[in-house]
């Protein structure tokens, strides 16, 4: 889609997603660009379909997906996460090739917390069916107090996860070193919200408190700027796409500084340094940003 269309969605909680212009410049409504994938009774359109509300309660969560898939580009959304006691809940915004064993996937997962504790965002990357690349970051602000922008930039050179334009995760294309990189399979945009108290908060020690339900979260300004599939055959290989430009092939100086700050102060788990899981450091962890 074109230069404006940001946001994603939830599942088991209540959220609002406001859509801006589509790739063709027309006003985008929810049903024009997305389809409900789970529990339509828990998704309510607002403001003529320019926003939606999702609800998580003891009966169900909910979710939706883009009607089209995309190959390279940038996807972003503004989210206001569940306030108060959200332990045991997971709000997910991700891209997925929907190809089962050989799937490619890029994940944002927001892990609920007990009141007063920091919100944790977990990222993961699947390439050619191989995942288990989890990293966790404690957010440096209260993501339930206001909207914040969460973005995934994906081009032939790197994948970058951003929080308010601050890079929190970088995965370089190191195919020259035989490290898998997602570049052949288009991916859809998904969002879900669900109860996952067997693992989401402190490894499952903190359980969901259903007396606090329904859980509500809000989304707006959902943007997709990329090559739609099906679509123009040469789009994904066009080096003139803005997201393939020199400025996006590596972090700039300011981004690199912000990235180091996140890595030094807010990363609480990195599979690259987990010797119990990986006695030998995974090869992609040896790449230089």
């Amino acid at each position: 889609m074109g230069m404006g269309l940001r946001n994603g969605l939830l599942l088991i909680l209540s959220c609002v997603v406001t859509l801006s212009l589509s790739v063709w410049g027309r006003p985008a409504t929810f049903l024009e660009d997305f389809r409900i994938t789970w529990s339509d009774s828990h998704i309510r359109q607002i403001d003529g379909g320019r926003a939606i509300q999702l609800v998580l309660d003891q009966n169900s969560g909910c979710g939706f997906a883009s009607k089209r898939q995309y190959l390279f580009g940038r996807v972003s959304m503004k989210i206001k996460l569940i306030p108060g006691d959200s332990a045991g809940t997971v709000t997910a915004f991700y891209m997925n090739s929907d190809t089962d064993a050989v799937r490619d996937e890029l994940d944002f997962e927001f892990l609920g917390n007990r009141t007063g504790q920091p919100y944790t965002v977990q990222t993961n990357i699947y390439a050619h069916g191989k995942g288990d690349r989890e990293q966790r970051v404690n957010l440096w602000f209260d993501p339930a107090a206001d909207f914040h922008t969460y973005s995934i930039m994906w081009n032939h050179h790197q994948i970058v996860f951003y929080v308010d334009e601050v890079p929190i995760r970088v995965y370089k294309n190191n195919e020259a070193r035989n490290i898998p990189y997602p570049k052949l399979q288009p991916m859809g945009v998904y969002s879900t919200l669900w109860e996952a108290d067997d693992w989401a908060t402190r490894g499952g020690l903190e359980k969901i408190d259903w007396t606090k339900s329904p859980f509500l979260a809000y989304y707006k300004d959902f943007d997709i700027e990329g090559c739609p599939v099906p679509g123009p055959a040469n789009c994904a290989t066009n080096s003139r796409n803005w997201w393939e430009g020199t400025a996006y092939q590596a972090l700039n100086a300011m981004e690199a500084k912000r990235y180091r700050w996140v890595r030094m102060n807010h990363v609480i788990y990195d599979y690259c340094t987990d010797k119990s899981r990986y006695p030998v450091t995974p090869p992609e962890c040896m790449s230089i940003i």
Side-chain angles (χ1 to χ4, degrees):
M1 292 187 173
M3 289 290 297
L5 221 158
R6 284 182 197 193
N7 219 336
L9 205 285
L10 269 123
L11 228 175
I12 285 181
L13 308 160
S14 167
C15 57
V16 170
V17 178
T18 301
L19 308 176
S20 52
L21 295 182
S22 75
V23 64
W24 310 118
R26 57 174 171 75
T29 62
F30 175 68
L31 291 179
E32 285 177 315
D33 290 309
F34 298 96
R35 56 187 173 86
I36 297 172
T37 57
W38 177 22
S39 189
D40 57 1
S41 65
H42 283 60
I43 296 180
R44 181 168 64 91
Q45 296 187 62
I46 299 171
D47 192 20
R50 289 187 291 272
I52 61 173
Q53 184 181 66
L54 289 80
V55 178
L56 165 63
D57 58 26
Q58 283 184 281
N59 294 316
S60 182
C62 53
F64 67 82
S66 60
K67 291 182 177 179
R68 307 179 79 176
Q69 292 184 311
Y70 302 87
L71 190 57
F72 302 114
R74 177 184 172 104
V75 180
S76 69
M77 61 181 174
K78 290 183 179 179
I79 307 175
K80 185 177 180 181
L81 292 171
I82 306 161
D85 189 342
S86 58
T89 67
V90 175
T91 302
F93 159 60
Y94 60 102
M95 302 185 72
N96 189 305
S97 63
D98 196 25
T99 47
D100 297 326
V102 293
R103 80 182 189 273
D104 294 331
E105 185 171 310
L106 311 174
D107 295 338
F108 268 116
E109 293 179 309
F110 302 93
L111 311 182
N113 64 346
R114 285 285 178 234
T115 302
Q117 298 300 311
Y119 244 103
T120 298
V121 57
Q122 174 172 281
T123 59
N124 199 359
I125 295 169
Y126 282 78
H128 303 182
K130 173 65 171 65
D132 299 326
R133 297 184 175 97
E134 299 92 347
Q135 293 183 2
R136 292 186 178 187
V137 171
N138 275 348
L139 295 174
W140 51 95
F141 53 86
D142 180 359
D146 204 349
F147 286 98
H148 293 268
T149 304
Y150 304 92
S151 309
I152 300 171
M153 170 70 76
W154 172 34
N155 60 33
H156 283 82
H157 305 276
Q158 63 179 359
I159 297 163
V160 186
F161 292 78
Y162 289 93
V163 175
D164 288 337
E165 304 305 320
V166 176
I168 66 166
R169 175 86 182 262
V170 177
Y171 186 85
K172 304 291 287 186
N173 184 342
N174 281 299
E175 287 185 306
R177 296 167 50 201
N178 295 317
I179 296 170
Y181 187 83
K183 71 172 189 179
L184 299 177
Q185 300 186 106
M187 291 190 264
V189 181
Y190 296 82
S191 189
T192 57
L193 179 53
W194 75 98
E195 175 265 316
D197 68 2
D198 58 331
W199 67 273
T201 306
R202 294 185 60 213
L205 295 177
E206 302 285 356
K207 302 301 183 181
I208 195 167
D209 182 355
W210 289 113
T211 67
K212 302 296 194 301
S213 68
F215 298 98
L216 309 178
Y218 300 85
Y219 289 63
K220 65 179 182 179
D221 299 345
F222 184 74
D223 293 342
I224 304 174
E225 305 170 47
C227 292
V229 177
N234 298 326
C235 180
T237 57
N238 186 351
S239 61
R240 291 177 294 179
N241 290 328
W242 71 263
W243 53 85
E244 298 289 355
T246 303
Y248 305 101
Q249 295 178 12
L251 300 184
N252 62 38
M254 179 58 71
E255 288 178 328
K257 181 178 180 180
R258 291 171 174 172
Y259 183 60
R260 288 192 296 270
W261 174 77
V262 170
R263 304 297 300 175
M264 291 177 62
N265 296 286
H266 296 283
V267 172
I268 61 169
Y269 176 80
D270 186 348
Y271 78 105
C272 289
T273 58
D274 189 343
K275 295 300 182 182
S276 66
R277 292 178 65 193
Y278 299 100
V280 177
T281 301
E284 66 268 22
C285 298
M286 305 302 292
S287 64
I288 299 175
I289 302 305

